[in-house]
Amino acid sequence: MKRWKTLLPVLFAVAIAAAIYGAVLIRRGFSATEEPSTLEKIVARTVRNLSIPRKARNEENPWKASPEILREAREDFTDRCAVCHGNDGNGQTQVGRNLYPKPPDLRAPQTQNLTDGQIRYIIQNGVRLTGMPAWSHPHEAQDDDSWKLVLFIRDLRQLSAGEKSMQQATAASAHYTGSPACEKCHQQIYEHWKKTPMANVVRDPREHPEAILPDLATNPLAKFTKDQIALVYGSLWKQRYFTKIGDDLFPEPAQWDVTHRVWRPYFVAKGTDWWEPFYPPDNMQRPTGPTCDGCHSVDYNIRTKKVVEWNVGCERCHGPGSEHVAHPSRGNILNPARMDYVPANDTCIQCHSQGRPLTNPMEGKYYDWPVGYRPGLNLRDFWQLEEHALGETTFTHFPDGTAHKNRMQGNDFVQSVMYRRGITCFTCHDVHGTENNAQLRKPADKLCLDCHGPMSLNGPRTVTLEEHTHHKAGTPGSECVSCHMPKIETTIADVKVRAHTFAFISPSMTDKYKIPNPCTSCHTDKSTAWATEALRHWPERSPWRLD
């Protein structure tokens, strides 16, 4: 009897609290956009964790993380999970923020402190009364996909306070070691990277005689021999040749057009770059150190004119690695994948953009790359993107702000909706190397559809892709990049690279501003009037976006 007398007041208090809480909920409403209270979060998380059977909780992951498995799991995560959890697991997506309760930040301790077995159980069985579905395969004894997803989620974890402190200390003390020092622990990644354009943009013909693509004897513009070439630059669209005079490198006045297999002059003409007025009109008085070498090497020293290594090596993106090589830890190396989207993208924008240093000149020379910047610092403290006024055509921009020359992917990208939504360059590209064009993670037409499948919230809002493109599947006109990333930015002669604003350029913009549009760039025998009229008959297109 005494026990009941003790319990009754407690139960009565709980009932009153529940009634008050229920009344507050009813008064406030049951909108899924509301943020759950702290109490709700604690109760829900506790109930969820207690509902996981002990056997499942204690299961060990049979897989170990490797670059290949993490790449596979990333693709699976993108297909299944990213619509709610985001590509990096932060949960800040349009769908996720409109769920109740909200998807957790998978990088945070509340998820990372769970056992592998607990995370796998949640993936397989879902969570009742939430938006988390069950992803199990009932007829499969072993669901390897779920275990691999656990490894990927583990890889998303945030740096601890101690690791962040270590990272700051390391930034002040570490020095560059060169990419070969990374091979021992990251052999798979290193082997992939070695085959990429990033790893081979600059080569010494004495070490790599095959690097020189044309027969130098066929050059009718400016004769030079293999012995005069200190370094060869480029192999995809163009190839240039640097000769050494003293401790400086200078570009020869002829370059090889890789696409057309012809020789073309190389000279930065008057009015075609901001730095041109500050150097004499002679290639042999325009050293490549100030204009090129800082982006084509690791740790170019503007005083000694020496580099740790030529090419875009590991430390160009991950920062100096001496401490990490000596004592491998997440806390003593930088990983752009764990950064906020602004500094993450700046790792690429530092070289894939037209701009100028905030301090110019430096010791009497004008530099065309962000001297002093390295990953982890604020690029804005070193570099100003090339300015543009709407309506003006400049040596860098079309009147709408889209670039018309190469090395402006960053200038384009920062204007895009994708950038504003927190997408990073490596959401699409993997500079460690892939089998796809431009080191894309997937072929372009498949990659875009990860986030922009038919009837998705991100568009297109048609049942099929063909209804959106009005072109047959498998044809160039059905490819996302044909319309949203047209090849309109010149790299050499008539060879173009793709725009990165992801905006559709209408035929009327060609008429008004002379910006090439994807319709008549493909249908070269047709006029802009024809293209505009054709678009007017596409029922899902707003007529207000065609003018």
Side-chain angles (χ1 to χ4, degrees):
M1 196 70 174
K2 275 187 175 182
R3 189 175 179 186
W4 274 108
K5 284 184 178 180
T6 305
L7 283 174
L8 278 173
V10 174
L11 293 172
F12 185 68
V14 170
I16 291 176
I20 294 171
Y21 188 64
V24 170
L25 279 179
I26 292 169
R27 184 177 181 82
R28 189 180 66 184
F30 288 90
S31 171
T33 60
E34 294 283 341
E35 187 69 33
S37 68
T38 302
L39 176 63
E40 283 180 275
K41 290 179 183 178
I42 293 172
V43 170
R45 194 178 297 125
T46 302
V47 171
R48 181 201 66 188
N49 293 348
L50 289 173
S51 70
I52 299 173
R54 179 176 294 179
K55 180 181 177 182
R57 189 182 311 159
N58 294 331
E59 279 190 284
E60 293 188 7
N61 197 331
W63 293 88
K64 301 296 182 185
S66 71
E68 294 301 330
I69 286 177
L70 289 176
R71 183 179 291 117
E72 180 185 336
R74 179 194 176 99
E75 301 301 340
D76 196 18
F77 185 89
T78 300
D79 291 339
R80 293 204 226 175
C81 317
V83 65
C84 294
H85 289 285
N87 287 315
D88 63 353
N90 66 13
Q92 301 298 315
T93 67
Q94 184 176 354
V95 173
R97 299 317 298 163
N98 288 322
L99 289 175
Y100 194 94
K102 312 303 178 194
D105 184 340
L106 300 180
R107 308 167 303 175
Q110 288 84 351
T111 296
Q112 293 295 331
N113 289 341
L114 298 174
T115 67
D116 283 4
Q118 286 176 305
I119 297 174
R120 187 213 183 201
Y121 185 88
I122 293 168
I123 293 170
Q124 286 197 307
N125 297 280
V127 182
R128 290 185 182 182
L129 304 179
T130 75
M132 178 63 193
W135 288 106
S136 62
H137 303 288
H139 303 296
E140 295 182 14
Q142 176 71 42
D143 183 4
D144 289 338
D145 290 347
S146 295
W147 282 123
K148 292 175 183 177
L149 277 172
V150 172
L151 293 176
F152 179 77
I153 291 168
R154 288 287 187 229
D155 196 57
L156 293 174
R157 69 190 186 280
Q158 295 173 315
L159 294 177
S160 66
E163 287 173 326
K164 288 179 181 177
S165 298
M166 185 190 300
Q167 208 169 66
Q168 292 175 350
T170 300
S173 61
H175 59 268
Y176 291 92
T177 62
S179 297
C182 308
E183 182 179 10
K184 180 182 177 182
C185 296
H186 303 281
Q187 188 171 6
Q188 280 184 291
I189 292 175
Y190 185 83
E191 289 302 318
H192 279 295
W193 165 79
K194 274 204 326 187
K195 301 171 186 174
T196 66
M198 290 283 199
N200 295 284
V201 67
V202 177
R203 287 191 286 178
D204 185 334
R206 278 156 288 283
E207 297 176 12
H208 303 279
E210 75 285 357
I212 300 175
L213 298 179
D215 180 352
L216 298 179
T218 64
N219 177 7
L221 302 174
K223 296 294 184 182
F224 52 85
T225 65
K226 178 181 175 180
D227 292 339
Q228 291 175 271
I229 301 172
L231 293 174
V232 175
Y233 160 71
S235 61
L236 290 182
W237 302 293
K238 55 184 177 275
Q239 189 168 81
R240 292 173 182 161
Y241 310 93
F242 297 169
T243 190
K244 194 164 188 178
I245 301 174
D247 56 1
D248 278 314
L249 294 162
F250 298 87
E252 293 287 354
Q255 60 184 331
W256 178 248
D257 181 333
V258 176
T259 304
H260 299 294
R261 299 182 59 80
V262 296
W263 287 97
R264 298 190 187 278
Y266 174 65
F267 176 72
V268 177
K270 187 174 183 178
T272 59
D273 224 326
W274 70 266
W275 54 262
E276 171 272 325
F278 302 106
Y279 289 93
D282 178 356
N283 279 11
M284 293 303 125
Q285 296 187 61
R286 293 177 171 182
T288 63
T291 56
C292 307
D293 296 347
C295 280
H296 301 153
S297 66
V298 173
D299 195 32
Y300 179 89
N301 188 308
I302 64 172
R303 294 181 178 84
T304 65
K305 303 172 186 176
K306 296 184 182 301
V307 302
V308 170
E309 69 176 303
W310 288 106
N311 297 305
V312 183
C314 307
E315 293 163 301
R316 185 79 211 183
C317 302
H318 293 282
S322 61
E323 295 290 332
H324 186 71
V325 170
H327 310 286
S329 162
R330 293 198 323 152
N332 55 23
I333 196 69
L334 291 169
N335 187 343
R338 305 191 196 287
M339 297 178 184
D340 181 65
Y341 81 101
V342 174
N345 281 315
D346 283 350
T347 307
C348 305
I349 291 172
Q350 62 168 311
C351 289
H352 288 272
S353 65
Q354 288 280 344
R356 58 191 80 186
L358 298 186
T359 302
N360 240 343
M362 296 181 192
E363 300 181 9
K365 293 182 180 177
Y366 291 83
Y367 288 82
D368 197 26
W369 49 275
V371 178
Y373 169 80
R374 63 185 184 184
L377 301 177
N378 294 318
L379 183 59
R380 64 180 177 273
D381 294 336
F382 300 85
W383 189 242
Q384 173 64 50
L385 294 183
E386 198 66 48
E387 293 183 357
H388 175 257
L390 287 174
E392 289 185 4
T393 300
T394 65
F395 73 88
T396 51
H397 292 86
F398 287 115
D400 72 328
T402 305
H404 67 65
K405 65 177 293 188
N406 189 23
R407 193 195 157 196
M408 291 195 63
Q409 292 86 354
N411 304 67
D412 274 356
F413 186 44
V414 296
Q415 304 177 62
S416 71
V417 175
M418 302 265 276
Y419 180 84
R420 294 199 294 275
R421 294 288 185 271
I423 300 300
T424 63
C425 304
F426 40 84
T427 301
C428 301
H429 300 274
D430 183 353
V431 294
H432 296 141
T434 73
E435 300 301 317
N436 302 310
N437 180 52
Q439 310 305 313
L440 291 173
R441 294 188 178 276
K442 294 181 180 179
D445 54 339
K446 295 180 181 178
L447 182 67
C448 299
L449 295 179
D450 280 344
C451 299
H452 300 280
M455 295 304 294
S456 74
L457 288 174
N458 299 318
R461 294 172 182 84
T462 55
V463 176
T464 66
L465 191 61
E466 287 83 354
E467 286 181 77
H468 174 69
T469 66
H470 293 259
H471 288 75
K472 185 184 292 187
T475 64
S478 74
E479 296 177 358
C480 308
V481 294
S482 293
C483 293
H484 293 281
M485 299 183 69
K487 288 186 175 183
I488 60 174
E489 305 184 359
T490 303
T491 182
I492 182 173
D494 61 350
V495 180
K496 314 284 186 180
V497 295
R498 295 193 182 279
H500 277 68
T501 62
F502 306 100
F504 174 69
I505 299 167
S506 68
S508 63
M509 292 179 72
T510 303
D511 293 333
K512 292 177 183 177
Y513 306 116
K514 309 306 178 192
I515 308 168
N517 73 83
C519 301
T520 55
S521 293
C522 185
H523 298 277
T524 55
D525 60 331
K526 303 295 186 180
S527 66
T528 52
W530 168 86
T532 299
E533 184 61 23
L535 289 170
R536 290 191 188 283
H537 291 87
W538 292 12
E540 78 291 347
R541 289 293 185 279
S542 166
W544 316 117
R545 296 190 64 194
L546 301 181
D547 297 324

